[in-house]
Amino acid sequence: MSVQRRSSSLARYARRSLPVIALASVAGLVLAGCSGDAGGSSGDGGDKTLKVLIAAPQEGAGKILEADFEAETGVEVEVEVVPYDQIQTKAVLDAQSGTNNYDVIQYWYTSVGALADAGALADITDWVESDEDIDSSDFIEAIFGPYSQYEGGTYGLPIDGDTHVLFYNKAIFERNGVEVPTTWDEYVAVSKKITDAEKADGVYGNALLGSKSAFNIGSTFFNRLATMSPDPIDPQMPQLDTEYAVAAAQSMLDAAPSALPSPLEIGFEQALPQFLSGSVGMIEFWTDLGVFAQDPEQSKIVDGWGVAPLPIGPEGKISGALNAGWAMGISPTASDEDLAKDFVAFASSKETNEKLITTTGSGVDPTRTSTLESPEYVEFAPEVSAVAAQVLPNAQSWPTSPQAPEMIQSLSDNLALMLQGSLTAEQAMQQTWDSWQSLAD
């Protein structure tokens, strides 16, 4: 069966950049699926209907899941797509009011604690542990825990593992006689050399994602914290009262003068076309950028780009941050719990993940060891898959406690103040840490 392929990479990232914080309200889009005729392993769904709440950044994957599940089971899938800052509100209201608008809920993994604590996700621990077909041990360990766990229970299954790696422009590097940086100090030096030499021609050393949203400025910070700290990030309360957190923030400040102007206004939708047009030397981005960079319809750097793990700090190691990343859980008021389980198992399966990570425009990255290492993925994205194999098993989590949404907002606010010159790196981290402590009280 043919699957939808996006004609533009920007469509995905424009949706992805809708922040958890300070986000303008936009209307949700409801996509109603049609009943399928084909019977799969689950049998004929008859007149059954499954209602699924999906976040806008995952609309492409949602359409594929909708069509494939309907074709396999005959069940009609109604997918409601909303900005992802509305997922938590809608899911909690639905569960607490008992209106049963949703059977399955897709969520950004950082909200797992907030959703579980509010009773908006069902505890699926027993099912996951007893169903051998789920094969939970195949999920990449660094992803499975943060995406699904709260207070020892399992509340969802991963469907998209997201992390950043370093993409670079080979021609720009060759013109300026620089090597791929392996430390953040080298990164700043390489960026400065490129910008000093080519700024007059509109070429800059890096694109610093500094727009005040979680998926922009937050990702830029956690990229550095994950690779500078010698200790893993604590997903309940990341330690910002450390020299490593200050160094991560300072590294952002150090890179800003040689970055694509102006970092506070640079999000994915601004940075991506600049990199694809050959105007940026380096960009920290999701792994599937490599697919878009090879598309001659939207890229001027076909065969002219490279990819590497993120640089590291003096005491850090090759790693990355789980920037974005999605899971699916079951509403405690689902009208048909077994049908909801079938859909979540289908969406998180090895077969589905492998199909999505080898489909241009799906917006999905590996969640399982088997798909990360699969020959199909290696053939589809050879350069990127090799780097992803180094990074994803060691990727670090953002906050996932019930207070995580507010914690991420506070961090983004203070990082933005830092980039605009109102706070030092030390002040930004201290103010954020103080606010996090008050939220935890």
Side-chain angles (χ1 to χ4, degrees):
M1 183 184 71
S2 63
V3 297
Q4 176 179 350
R5 294 177 182 266
R6 297 190 183 283
S7 60
S8 171
S9 59
L10 295 182
R12 173 193 173 189
Y13 293 105
R15 284 189 294 272
R16 189 180 223 167
S17 62
L18 295 173
V20 163
I21 56 167
L23 197 157
S25 176
V26 297
L29 172 66
V30 179
L31 301 172
C34 299
S35 296
D37 297 322
S41 59
S42 299
D44 185 358
D47 59 356
K48 291 183 178 180
T49 300
L50 185 75
K51 295 172 286 187
V52 182
L53 181 65
I54 283 185
Q58 289 281 295
E59 183 181 356
K63 289 182 178 180
I64 295 172
L65 293 174
E66 175 187 0
D68 286 4
F69 191 73
E70 287 180 353
E72 181 171 313
T73 66
V75 172
E76 180 180 3
V77 181
E78 294 182 355
V79 177
E80 182 177 349
V81 182
V82 300
Y84 67 79
D85 71 322
Q86 295 183 16
I87 292 284
Q88 182 176 335
T89 300
K90 284 181 171 288
V92 171
L93 180 62
D94 187 58
Q96 294 181 350
S97 67
T99 52
N100 188 29
N101 286 324
Y102 313 111
D103 301 304
V104 174
I105 297 163
Q106 184 201 54
Y107 59 90
W108 182 27
Y109 81 91
T110 60
S111 63
V112 63
L115 288 167
D117 189 64
L121 290 175
D123 187 333
I124 57 174
T125 306
D126 292 342
W127 169 53
V128 171
E129 292 180 350
S130 63
D131 192 331
E132 294 182 359
D133 290 337
I134 291 175
D135 193 9
S136 60
S137 64
D138 184 41
F139 287 111
I140 297 169
E141 185 176 355
I143 290 174
F144 182 73
Y147 279 48
S148 66
Q149 302 296 300
Y150 176 64
E151 293 190 341
T154 300
Y155 289 87
L157 291 176
I159 64 167
D160 179 19
D162 277 327
T163 192
H164 279 186
V165 293
L166 182 68
F167 289 91
Y168 59 94
N169 184 302
K170 292 181 179 179
I172 294 176
F173 272 41
E174 290 172 3
R175 289 199 303 265
N176 290 277
V178 295
E179 301 293 331
V180 179
T182 58
T183 70
W184 287 109
D185 286 345
E186 291 175 0
Y187 175 93
V188 172
V190 167
S191 179
K192 183 178 186 302
K193 184 171 184 179
I194 292 171
T195 299
D196 287 348
E198 301 199 36
K199 178 180 179 180
D201 297 322
V203 174
Y204 295 86
N206 79 90
L208 189 73
L209 304 183
S211 173
K212 197 179 79 170
S213 72
F215 287 174
N216 287 310
I217 201 168
S219 295
T220 301
F221 173 75
F222 277 108
N223 284 345
R224 287 156 175 77
L225 182 61
T227 53
M228 286 186 167
S229 175
D231 301 314
I233 295 175
D234 180 356
Q236 295 303 305
M237 184 63 69
Q239 299 296 307
L240 299 190
D241 60 339
T242 67
E243 61 181 297
Y244 308 108
V246 173
Q250 185 62 49
S251 178
M252 294 172 63
L253 281 176
D254 293 343
S258 60
L260 183 72
S262 298
L264 276 170
E265 300 173 2
I266 299 299
F268 314 121
E269 60 269 47
Q270 291 82 31
L272 183 59
Q274 294 296 319
F275 182 75
L276 294 178
S277 69
S279 299
V280 170
M282 297 179 288
I283 187 171
E284 303 154 44
F285 222 85
W286 287 276
T287 56
D288 54 353
L289 173 54
V291 177
F292 298 121
Q294 282 299 100
D295 183 355
E297 293 186 1
Q298 54 191 324
S299 172
K300 295 182 179 179
I301 57 171
V302 174
D303 295 329
W305 57 276
V307 60
L310 294 174
I312 64 174
E315 299 179 52
K317 58 183 179 296
I318 291 178
S319 181
L322 293 172
N323 302 327
W326 304 90
M328 278 192 174
I330 297 171
S331 170
T333 61
S335 58
D336 188 331
E337 183 180 358
D338 288 337
L339 185 60
K341 287 179 178 178
D342 286 345
F343 185 83
V344 171
F346 171 82
S348 62
S349 69
K350 171 186 174 181
E351 293 77 15
T352 297
N353 187 236
E354 185 173 78
K355 176 176 181 176
L356 292 175
I357 65 176
T358 55
T359 297
T360 301
S362 72
V364 171
D365 299 307
T367 58
R368 292 176 173 268
T369 301
S370 60
T371 57
L372 180 63
E373 299 174 351
S374 77
E376 289 80 1
Y377 179 52
V378 172
E379 180 180 359
F380 181 74
E383 296 89 354
V384 168
S385 63
V387 175
Q390 297 180 65
V391 174
L392 273 174
N394 303 309
Q396 302 292 309
S397 174
W398 291 28
T400 60
S401 67
Q403 298 78 29
E406 291 82 4
M407 293 167 68
I408 293 168
Q409 177 173 350
S410 173
L411 174 64
S412 299
D413 288 344
N414 286 313
L415 288 173
L417 289 171
M418 179 191 74
L419 285 182
Q420 76 179 32
S422 299
L423 297 176
T424 65
E426 293 85 353
Q427 291 169 336
M429 291 300 96
Q430 188 62 55
Q431 286 191 187
T432 305
W433 180 248
D434 290 345
S435 72
W436 285 12
Q437 298 309 296
S438 65
L439 287 169
D441 291 341

